[in-house]
Amino acid sequence: MKHPLIKLLPVLFGFFIMGFCDVVGIGTAYLQKDFGLDETTAGFVPSMVFIWFLFLSLPAALLMNRLGRKRTVVMSNIITTAGMLLPLLSYNLATCMAAFLLLGVGNTILQVSLNPLLTNVVKGNALASSLTAGQIIKALSSFCGPLLAAFAALYLGNWQYLFLIYAVLTVLSTLWLQMTRIKEEPYESRSSIVKSLSLLRQSRILLLFLGIFFICGADIGVNMVAPKLLIERCSYAVEDAGVGASLYFVCRTLGAFAGTIALARIAPVRYFRINIAAAIAALVMLFVADSVTSILVGVGMVGFFCASFFSIIFSLALEYDSKCENEMSGLMIMGIFGAAVLPPVMGFFADMFGNQGGSLLVIGFALLYLAYCSVMMGQPRKAEAAQ
């Protein structure tokens, strides 16, 4: 076989590990319940995971050039496993925050190195389909997170056993990958952190970078606020409220499928504009939603319509300058740290308003920027064409 599954499957399983970071949404709700955190403090929990995309994305890319892609993936898994074991040794707020911190460090390194590793297994048309399969697997992992947390709480006696499940799965992923021989071609890179950051001097790149920043912030923001809305407005127990986050990930996966089909026929910028308008309308609905059905419908619509934004912005950035693809990729991945910035701001506004309307306001600001971004995306192309 040209692309044997024996090499492809362990790499694709890495995308399931990649989805573990999204459990921070429902995890925040459990930590609030267990340790009595206010909204502002709870907002910093996701920051422990996603702030590392700011500091480590570009250094991880340079490290990968020295260690190799497979070794870098294995290193990320070791860091993730260590983090998952901490709350099992001693369950307190400090160990949980440290666990999410290590989860974020490992996940940053994994996201930087796993996609390039896939290119050593599949080539050509098979690469695009394999990348799509990887994103679907990641979405499946995100969907399973709240369900596994509820399972651990209801049937194993405590939600913290979710960390044990994640540790075991990460170890299995590491062993599977280690036993798989993957040939890596020598890679020479002249990229540097300074060279990558210098791209932000270009207004179009800055526009797209902030687009990544705000879509990732809005993504984890809706993931966080979905169960909280059910708890606040419908008196749901924490164990049951995870259905909001799970539904969000299901609809996001469906939206990604729909986007894959639609983008073959519709220009990316036009598709972006249509969907951002629908997403803003769905968020307005969440401001006034007061029943389980209306909340779930609103959350699902936001997930569905926002599903393709990251890939559209990312692809536009890579197409901007083919000579700087590596630097551009690292820079855009760094923008994921928006998921670390928006949650604390959401928590602050939720405390100020006294309800989750404050959180929704922050998400609304992020979506409005994306609407602005959708309008401005076509401007540089027109200017270049005129020249």
Side-chain angles (χ1 to χ4, degrees):
M1 296 176 61
K2 189 175 181 180
H3 306 303
L5 286 177
I6 194 172
K7 292 185 178 181
L8 179 59
L9 290 178
V11 179
L12 288 180
F13 189 65
F15 284 91
F16 194 86
I17 309 302
M18 192 185 292
F20 288 177
C21 63
D22 288 322
V23 80
V24 71
I26 188 63
T28 300
Y30 279 105
L31 292 182
Q32 280 189 276
K33 176 186 176 183
D34 291 348
F35 302 112
L37 306 180
D38 58 30
E39 290 290 339
T40 302
T41 304
F44 282 98
V45 178
S47 297
M48 293 296 100
V49 176
F50 295 104
I51 191 65
W52 303 106
F53 285 93
L54 171 63
F55 297 114
L56 295 182
S57 292
L58 298 178
L62 299 179
L63 179 64
M64 179 176 62
N65 294 339
R66 297 181 60 183
L67 294 182
R69 295 164 181 176
K70 179 179 172 180
R71 288 181 180 178
T72 306
V73 171
V74 169
M75 182 180 72
S76 74
N77 284 348
I78 292 173
I79 295 172
T80 298
T81 303
M84 295 302 91
L85 293 176
L86 286 179
L88 300 174
L89 298 176
S90 177
Y91 182 69
N92 55 59
L93 182 60
T95 56
C96 287
M97 295 293 270
F100 283 122
L101 183 153
L102 290 176
L103 176 62
V105 171
N107 204 270
T108 301
I109 299 172
L110 182 62
Q111 293 216 34
V112 169
S113 57
L114 191 62
N115 285 323
L117 180 62
L118 192 59
T119 66
N120 293 123
V121 179
V122 292
K123 303 290 183 183
N125 293 335
L127 177 59
S129 61
S130 297
L131 285 170
T132 302
Q135 291 303 310
I136 293 172
I137 293 170
K138 180 180 181 293
L140 177 64
S141 174
S142 300
F143 163 71
C144 290
L147 300 182
L148 288 174
F151 171 82
L154 295 174
Y155 296 101
L156 301 181
N158 199 310
W159 83 278
Q160 70 196 62
Y161 288 111
L162 170 69
F163 294 111
L164 177 61
I165 296 172
Y166 277 0
V168 170
L169 290 173
T170 307
V171 169
L172 291 176
S173 176
T174 305
L175 294 176
W176 194 4
L177 186 60
Q178 277 287 75
M179 292 186 295
T180 305
R181 291 187 178 182
I182 298 176
K183 183 180 179 181
E184 298 184 39
E185 296 83 1
Y187 182 78
E188 297 182 4
S189 174
R190 298 179 180 177
S191 61
S192 67
I193 295 176
V194 173
K195 182 179 179 181
S196 298
L197 292 176
S198 67
L199 294 172
L200 291 175
R201 296 175 183 173
Q202 303 176 56
S203 59
R204 181 174 175 84
I205 299 306
L206 180 60
L207 178 80
L208 297 176
F209 174 81
L210 290 176
I212 293 288
F213 177 93
F214 281 112
I215 185 53
C216 291
D219 180 45
I220 194 63
V222 179
N223 176 18
M224 280 182 56
V225 82
K228 291 183 179 182
L229 288 173
L230 292 173
I231 294 170
E232 178 180 278
R233 300 180 183 179
C234 304
S235 302
Y236 262 46
V238 176
E239 294 78 10
D240 299 325
V243 66
S246 292
L247 177 68
Y248 173 72
F249 290 119
V250 168
C251 292
R252 194 175 70 174
T253 303
L254 294 175
F257 272 117
T260 301
I261 297 171
L263 287 169
R265 302 180 179 182
I266 304 175
V269 174
R270 182 185 176 194
Y271 187 74
F272 195 115
R273 290 171 180 171
I274 295 171
N275 280 269
I276 189 60
I280 291 174
L283 189 71
V284 171
M285 173 183 172
L286 281 176
F287 272 99
V288 297
D290 59 359
S291 68
V292 174
T293 300
S294 58
I295 291 173
L296 293 181
V297 169
V299 166
M301 288 175 63
V302 173
F304 182 88
F305 291 117
C306 291
S308 298
F309 292 169
F310 182 92
S311 59
I312 291 174
I313 296 172
F314 201 92
S315 63
L316 289 173
L318 292 182
E319 291 172 359
Y320 184 76
D321 188 347
S322 60
K323 296 180 181 180
C324 299
E325 284 185 349
N326 289 345
E327 292 83 0
M328 200 75 75
S329 177
L331 191 64
M332 291 299 126
I333 290 293
M334 189 174 73
I336 296 176
F337 89 96
V341 176
L342 261 65
V345 179
M346 289 169 56
F348 173 80
F349 275 87
D351 278 336
M352 185 172 69
F353 279 67
N355 56 60
Q356 293 303 319
S359 296
L360 293 175
L361 189 66
V362 177
I363 297 173
F365 177 82
L367 294 187
L368 287 175
Y369 176 83
L370 291 169
Y372 167 77
C373 190
S374 73
V375 172
M376 297 301 295
M377 277 177 181
Q379 299 301 318
R381 291 178 181 271
K382 292 178 182 179
E384 290 167 2
Q387 293 175 357

